[in-house]
Amino acid sequence: MTLEEFLTTRRDAGRALLVPYVTGGVTPGWTDVVRAYADAGADAVEVGLPFSDPMLDGVTIQEASDRAIAGGTTVARILAEIAALDVEVPLFAMTYSNLVFQRSAAAFCAALRASGLRGLIVPDSPLEEVGELADAAAAEGLDLALMAAPSSSPERLRVIAARSRGFVYAVTRMGTTGENGGISTEAARLGRDLKALTDRPVLFGFGVSDPARAAGLARHADGVVVASALMRRLLDGAGPRELGEYVASIRRALDRDLNEQYAPLPRHRRRPDRQDPVGPLPRG
């Protein structure tokens, strides 16, 4: 099952999608974090392949990448550790063009697929230049997810929605990743516009920093990606158990909000019937 098929099946079953992030190699036991995410109710896990000059990441993800690189991690080592993982949800990579094209897009995508990854995001690969990478990913059965921003024109959104695979990554704001941010009118509109353009899942990322914000954003899309809030906790000393508990709290907020949205309407009373504690429906 592809990443898109997996996420779409869960969404269609009435589930708000939750995708937590971890930087590969950030700690010696980072794969235990992936397992904790899956056990806590994640629907997929995004694994960052660290790069020394990430143009889209804010200070928290940059710090996590720097720590991983300083610890001696490499793409090859991360992929080998992923290959040894056994989790029940799909994993996909996020990285930068420099790592992809060091050899070739074809070789990079083949290595990702061999590790068991099912998708890829390359945020600094422009839509106008993504053709080679998209072809290489498709040849390996990888879903290449594209990003859409609040500033994107209607025509650009149509192209992104059509060409993205796995899901469409809706950016809540212009700028870099980070924990700060609200639910702006522009972000809500972006989610609704994308959902009108495609049936594949639409996930919000950037600034999804707590359970309440995650639930609020998911009302305008199909779910959320949570990154900086988790990496900040990890960098401050949280282990897999604590990170799993935080993901579980977001899972509960998403589920609770979805249940409240679709709760059955109360029955109106006219004159209570002793045989019916609710009372009959009004006539006329």
Side-chain angles (χ1 to χ4, degrees), residues 76-166:
R77 180 181 300 178
I78 292 170
L79 295 184
E81 291 173 313
I82 289 172
L85 268 170
D86 183 17
V87 292
E88 296 183 355
V89 298
L91 312 182
F92 64 92
M94 191 286 292
T95 194
Y96 288 89
S97 297
N98 297 62
L99 296 182
V100 174
F101 294 103
Q102 278 183 351
R103 290 184 292 168
S104 70
F108 186 83
C109 288
L112 262 58
R113 183 62 183 178
S115 75
L117 288 167
R118 298 197 214 175
L120 176 64
I121 299 175
V122 185
D124 63 338
S125 186
L127 178 63
E128 294 77 10
E129 301 175 13
V130 79
E132 179 185 349
L133 177 55
D135 291 344
E140 295 296 338
L142 295 172
D143 284 338
L144 178 66
L146 303 180
M147 288 184 159
S151 62
S152 298
S153 68
E155 178 57 32
R156 191 173 185 85
L157 287 182
R158 280 191 287 272
V159 176
I160 291 170
R163 298 189 66 182
S164 189
R165 295 293 180 268

Side-chain angles (χ1 to χ4, degrees), residues 56-61 173 176-181 206-209 228-229:
L56 197 67
D57 287 319
V59 293
T60 299
I61 304 300
R173 62 169 188 254
T176 60
T177 60
E179 296 180 62
N180 296 324
F206 288 31
V208 188
S209 58
S228 294

